[in-house]
């Protein structure tokens, strides 16, 4: 996530990720391929958003990025853009070209048939149908292959795909906005603005690139959020919205439920009565508690999907989401939910926004802050958004 003022703390990692023999030109062209890959992040279904540029005599003659929906892939589009100039050229690809026949022919074969002389690959594909096989096809055809160029940057750009392939669950980003006195909100006050407009705009951009956004029922009740992308022209990229709500307490007149017919909402509930709320949170016209079945019916009539699963079993939930094709989850709401994901070691990235002002009385303490980050995370970089800071931490696991 780039910002107006970005301090790159990952320079050492990048230098270490550049293989011997890679030139400054290789870095520049791979950086362009990575930039292209990011233009369709979150829009390529279960396929990775790959970028590819074809270079002839030091000039880019072809560009391609995995199409919205996942097909066609980047390489055939870049080769088509290059046309006859692809022969003898160098192709820069952010992920190893595929080697298997699916709905489209293998991209490795397309590069061979186009007559490229050299292929520079950032990352090997962990998909067992591809891993190493795409490179082998290229080398067998006499094409020079270089790998590992700007691997750190490509790994970040393709984090969702890589996590789903290797850990069989979505990549999880935990976002927290923390006040100057270490709070994430004020009890009983609903939504409290901790960061300014630039930071909030960056989060809207992140939502547009994320498959799903998740909160707990406490946040849903306290803030009544909509959790959509509100950037003009990108509203259609709003993520799937998930609420952990054991007792189906989400009100039918909430913004989430009211918009479920246009932007999907999943409520995760195993139907167990809440010990705090007994049999129901909302009463009927006679003041009698509604049954779980009645609340379920009310929510489903608005288009809310009820996922019958223990909301405390986060590992199973993430596995279920991965099977549905969800590659990235943004955890946005609630200290308890944030702590639960951290305790389960299911957080891959932390976005810690720091605002300049204190919350004061009745503040809700943040589960973590810049001075207390879990030991298994390392600091990646810091970005400034006006008066706000965003520190990004990556899991070592």
């Amino acid at each position: 996530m780039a910002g107006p003022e970005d301090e790159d703390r990952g320079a050492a990692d990048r230098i270490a990720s550049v293989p011997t023999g890679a030139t400054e030109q290789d870095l520049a062209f791979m950086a362009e391929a990575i930039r292209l890959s990011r233009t369709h992040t979150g829009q390529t279904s279960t396929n990775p958003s790959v970028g590819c540029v074809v270079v002839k005599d030091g000039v880019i003659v072809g560009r391609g990025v995995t199409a919205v929906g996942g097909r066609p892939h980047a390489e055939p589009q870049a080769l088509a853009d290059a046309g006859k100039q692809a022969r003898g050229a160098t192709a820069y690809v952010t992920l190893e070209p595929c080697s298997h026949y699916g709905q489209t022919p293998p991209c490795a074969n397309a590069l061979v048939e186009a007559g490229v002389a050299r292929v520079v690959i950032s990352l090997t594909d962990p998909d067992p149908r591809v891993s190493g096989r795409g490179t082998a096809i290229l080398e067998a055809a006499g094409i020079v292959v270089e790998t590992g160029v700007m691997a750190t940057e490509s790994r970040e750009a393709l984090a969702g795909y890589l996590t789903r392939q290797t850990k069989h669950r979505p990549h999880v980003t935990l976002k927290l906005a923390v006040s100057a006195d270490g709070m994430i909100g004020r009890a009983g006050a609903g939504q409290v603005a901790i960061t300014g407009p630039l930071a909030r705009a960056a989060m809207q951009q992140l939502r547009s690139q994320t498959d799903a956004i998740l909160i707990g029922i406490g946040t849903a009740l306290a803030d009544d959020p909509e959790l959509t992308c509100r950037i003009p022209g990108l509203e259609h990229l709003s993520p799937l919205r998930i609420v952990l709500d054991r007792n189906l307490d989400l009100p039918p007149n909430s913004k989430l439920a009211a918009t479920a017919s246009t932007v999907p909402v999943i409520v995760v509930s195993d139907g167990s009565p809440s010990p705090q709320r007994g049999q129901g949170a909302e009463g009927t016209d006679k003041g009698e508690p509604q049954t779980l079945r009645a609340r379920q019916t009310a929510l489903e009539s608005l288009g809310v999907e009820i996922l019958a699963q223990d909301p405390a079993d986060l590992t199973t939930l993430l596995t279920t989401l991965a099977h549905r094709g969800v590659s990235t989850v943004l955890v946005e709401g609630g200290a308890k939910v944030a702590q639960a994901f951290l305790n389960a070691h299911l957080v891959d990235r932390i976005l810690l926004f720091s605002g300049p002002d204190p919350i004061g009385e009745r503040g809700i303490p943040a589960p973590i802050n810049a001075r207390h980050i879990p030991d298994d995370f390392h600091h990646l970089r810091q970005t400034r958004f006006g008066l706000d800071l965003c520190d990004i931490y990556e899991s070592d696991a």
Side-chain angles (χ1 to χ4, degrees):
M1 182 179 61
E5 303 172 42
D6 188 52
E7 288 187 38
D8 189 347
R9 304 297 179 86
D13 289 338
R14 182 173 66 249
I15 292 171
S17 75
V18 177
T20 303
T23 66
E24 288 296 321
Q25 203 172 58
D26 288 335
L27 297 179
F29 291 131
M30 186 60 77
E32 173 61 11
I34 293 171
R35 187 198 67 78
L36 276 173
S37 79
R38 287 186 175 277
T39 62
H40 284 177
T41 297
Q43 303 178 60
T44 56
S45 186
T46 57
N47 285 344
S49 181
V50 174
C52 177
V53 296
V54 179
V55 177
K56 187 72 170 286
D57 298 326
V59 177
I60 294 178
V61 295
R63 288 180 171 85
V65 59
T66 307
V68 173
R71 293 182 180 82
H73 292 179
E75 296 92 328
Q77 294 186 81
L79 293 171
D81 190 30
K84 294 181 180 179
Q85 295 184 85
R87 187 162 296 279
T90 296
Y92 293 83
V93 192
T94 59
L95 187 68
E96 180 181 8
C98 64
S99 58
H100 61 286
Y101 283 87
Q103 295 186 26
T104 56
C107 293
N109 291 23
L111 289 164
V112 171
E113 292 168 7
V116 300
R118 180 171 177 252
V119 176
V120 180
I121 299 168
S122 188
L123 291 176
T124 299
D125 194 334
D127 186 335
R129 298 173 299 174
V130 180
S131 188
R133 292 179 174 85
T135 300
I137 289 173
L138 299 174
E139 292 177 334
I143 295 173
V144 176
V145 178
E146 303 279 353
T147 60
V149 176
M150 296 189 74
T152 299
E153 290 81 355
S154 287
R155 197 172 291 114
E156 184 176 352
L158 294 167
Y161 171 76
L162 297 173
T163 301
R164 196 164 56 82
Q165 284 289 336
T166 59
K167 298 182 179 180
H168 310 293
R169 63 164 176 81
H171 183 273
V172 175
T173 296
L174 171 62
K175 175 259 180 178
L176 291 169
V178 182
S179 66
D181 54 353
M183 306 298 169
I184 62 171
R186 183 181 295 113
Q191 289 184 321
V192 176
I194 293 176
T195 56
L198 290 177
R200 292 197 293 271
M203 283 310 304
Q204 291 295 316
Q205 183 70 36
L206 181 59
R207 285 183 184 181
S208 75
Q209 300 172 342
T210 300
D211 292 339
I213 186 169
L214 182 148
I215 63 172
I217 185 58
T219 297
L221 294 174
D223 297 349
D224 191 22
E226 194 166 342
L227 303 180
T228 54
C229 175
R230 295 188 290 276
I231 298 175
L234 297 183
E235 296 91 345
H236 65 291
L237 298 180
S238 293
L240 166 69
R241 300 167 296 170
I242 302 170
V243 183
L244 304 183
D245 180 12
R246 183 181 300 279
N247 201 38
L248 299 181
D249 286 334
L250 185 69
N253 62 352
S254 64
K255 292 177 183 176
L256 285 167
T259 58
S261 61
T262 54
V263 181
V265 173
I266 293 178
V267 168
V268 184
S269 170
D270 62 0
S272 299
S274 167
Q276 289 81 18
R277 307 183 74 89
Q279 263 314 117
E282 298 179 9
T284 63
D285 291 339
K286 296 181 180 180
E288 297 171 352
Q290 286 186 326
T291 64
L292 284 168
R293 170 56 64 184
R295 291 199 297 281
Q296 177 173 338
T297 299
L299 290 172
E300 289 179 333
S301 70
L302 295 170
V304 175
E305 178 187 349
I306 308 300
L307 179 59
Q309 192 169 293
D310 182 0
D313 186 353
L314 300 177
T315 299
T316 298
L317 172 60
L318 291 179
T319 301
T320 298
L321 293 175
H323 288 158
R324 291 181 171 214
V326 173
S327 296
T328 52
V329 172
L330 178 62
V331 178
E332 267 211 28
K336 291 182 180 179
V337 170
Q339 193 63 63
F341 271 89
L342 288 168
N343 290 345
H345 301 286
L346 293 173
V347 176
D348 301 293
R349 180 178 298 163
I350 298 172
L351 300 183
L352 188 63
F353 285 85
S354 302
D357 300 319
I359 290 291
E361 294 184 5
R362 303 195 315 279
I364 302 171
I368 57 173
N369 56 50
R371 297 178 181 176
H372 299 92
I373 298 296
D375 292 338
D376 53 346
F377 282 80
H378 66 273
H379 189 259
L380 187 62
R381 62 177 174 271
Q382 184 181 83
T383 304
R384 179 176 291 277
F385 297 94
L387 297 177
D388 305 315
L389 293 175
C390 177
D391 286 281
I392 303 180
Y393 302 86
E394 292 278 0
S395 171
D396 297 324

